[in-house]
Amino acid sequence: MSPTVSVIIPVHNGSKTLRACLAAVYAQRHPVTEVIVVDDASTDDTRRIAAEFPCRLLVTDRNTGPAAARNRGIRASGGELLLFVDSDCAPEPDALGNALAILAAQPDVACVHGIYALRPLFDDGPIEAYRLLHGHYWRLRHVGRVRTTLFAVCLIRRSVFADVGGFDERLRASEDVELGDRMGDRYGIVLTDTVVCRHDDDDHLGRLLRKQFSRSQLLVPVARAERGPAGIRANTPAGLLGAALVPLTLPLALHTSGLLAIPLAMLALFVAADPGLLRFVLRQRGPGFTAFFYAVHLLVQLTVVAGAVVGGLRHLLDRNFGPAGVAAAKSPR
């Protein structure tokens, strides 16, 4: 007998994408047992759209973040397996079936998560194309057994939450990464390119940079909480270092034009830090878009570095900034 599968979709102001997300969930070739939409205090048409489908709708009266929304969905669900789908994602029809096949073939695996397709859910222009190229590439680079969980589209055994607990509701980002770290070596985790979803990603540069700055502030606290080897990383340390050194060395060129070679060398280091990414973007979109890609990528990497520095300082000054596990470790006994 096939295990029961509960689908949990946390959403906040997802009227643009929720209909496509739910349509894709109900179009899975392997049937689902129940679908639970957790509306995290939306102010748009999210609830009306959810009512178009035979799903169960849970509504919160204040915005508490994706971790709390997912936890509420877990408590309300009854499936042996839980399929988490972000509201801006539309899984391909075979996504659930392929994830189930991996669980059946590898009994020690408790969690299977997938990758973004190169084709967006809605085509909103070049910034979104940049995001999807990068997001697809770094996930594809890590396909296989991993220590990190990413919950954009993710099938996980219910028993995991009874053992390690739910999502850390103090986190507004990286809550899935932190959960995967708690799973540690006790549970097998697989990232696979057979579980694919189309994603509606950021399409405005300013919004993208603001989100990256906010999310990257949790990089240091979450890294400090890690109990084992580092998990999946979207960016290479050399790339982040090269990006940071470009503006730091630029004043040298302003002082003496002959020193322009130094920031240019740092820019070359930044581009060459991940040669696989360079080849991938060139192959997919050609040299013209590759130049655009790296211009945006430099701004994003600089924003990530700035956010990490700010977050690291906040973490030093406030022991409650970061995962609950870190704060507990710092608390006097």
Side-chain angles (χ1 to χ4, degrees):
M1 175 182 284
S2 297
T4 54
V5 179
S6 297
V7 182
I8 298 173
I9 304 173
V11 57
H12 174 69
N13 289 342
S15 59
K16 177 184 176 184
T17 60
L18 183 60
R19 185 178 288 107
C21 172
L22 284 167
V25 166
Y26 282 106
Q28 291 299 297
R29 295 194 182 108
H30 189 287
V32 300
T33 308
E34 63 177 345
V35 178
I36 298 172
V37 175
V38 186
D39 176 27
D40 192 18
S42 295
T43 57
D44 60 1
D45 291 335
T46 289
R47 294 171 208 172
R48 180 183 61 78
I49 293 168
E52 299 174 8
F53 296 83
C55 60
R56 181 179 176 189
L57 177 63
L58 306 178
V59 179
T60 62
D61 57 2
R62 64 184 181 88
N63 181 254
T64 52
R70 290 191 180 113
N71 284 342
R72 186 175 182 189
I74 294 168
R75 292 191 295 269
S77 65
E80 301 163 71
L81 300 174
L82 306 178
L83 176 64
F84 290 88
V85 181
D86 283 353
S87 64
D88 56 3
C89 293
E92 297 292 349
D94 60 356
L96 174 56
N98 290 342
L100 286 167
I102 292 174
L103 289 184
Q106 303 180 55
D108 66 312
V109 170
C111 176
V112 177
H113 53 110
I115 68 173
Y116 290 159
L118 287 173
R119 182 166 62 99
L121 186 56
F122 303 108
D123 190 348
D124 295 317
I127 295 295
E128 183 178 43
Y130 156 78
R131 287 287 287 163
L132 287 175
L133 276 169
H134 187 235
H136 179 91
Y137 168 78
W138 66 257
R139 286 171 174 84
L140 198 61
R141 185 180 64 193
H142 289 96
V143 159
R145 292 280 185 131
V146 295
R147 290 182 55 90
T148 302
T149 53
L150 303 170
F151 272 70
V153 54
C154 177
L155 183 68
I156 186 168
R157 300 186 193 276
R158 182 184 200 87
S159 57
V160 170
F161 295 102
D163 184 17
V164 306
F167 292 92
D168 186 342
E169 297 186 9
R170 289 167 46 148
L171 298 178
R172 290 265 180 164
S174 299
E175 73 286 342
D176 47 357
V177 175
E178 191 274 337
L179 176 73
D181 181 69
R182 273 186 280 136
M183 291 172 66
D185 296 322
R186 287 181 286 176
Y187 297 99
I189 303 170
V190 168
L191 173 61
T192 176
D193 57 357
T194 67
V195 175
V196 180
C197 67
R198 286 186 296 136
H199 183 225
D200 186 62
D201 218 316
D202 299 299
D203 57 1
H204 294 285
L205 181 60
R207 186 183 308 154
L208 167 60
L209 296 180
R210 287 192 297 272
K211 182 185 292 187
Q212 289 294 305
F213 181 75
S214 175
R215 289 182 173 179
S216 62
Q217 290 185 45
L218 286 165
L219 289 175
V220 171
V222 169
R224 279 205 61 207
E226 287 182 328
R227 296 162 176 82
I232 294 173
R233 294 291 185 262
N235 303 297
T236 65
L240 291 168
L241 176 62
L245 289 174
V246 171
L248 289 177
T249 57
L250 196 57
L252 296 174
L254 299 177
H255 181 264
T256 304
S257 60
L259 296 178
L260 179 61
I262 297 177
L264 289 177
M266 296 304 102
L267 183 61
L269 170 64
F270 162 67
V271 173
D274 190 345
L277 176 61
L278 177 60
R279 290 192 298 268
F280 177 76
V281 179
L282 280 168
R283 185 169 63 249
Q284 291 292 329
R285 297 296 295 263
F289 190 88
T290 299
F292 169 81
F293 178 98
Y294 275 95
V296 176
H297 198 45
L298 177 62
L299 293 175
V300 170
Q301 300 290 82
L302 287 171
T303 302
V304 169
V305 171
V309 170
V310 170
L313 292 174
R314 290 181 66 183
H315 184 56
L316 286 174
L317 297 172
D318 180 5
R319 68 184 184 185
N320 291 317
F321 181 73
V326 175
K330 291 181 179 179
S331 298
R333 297 186 183 276

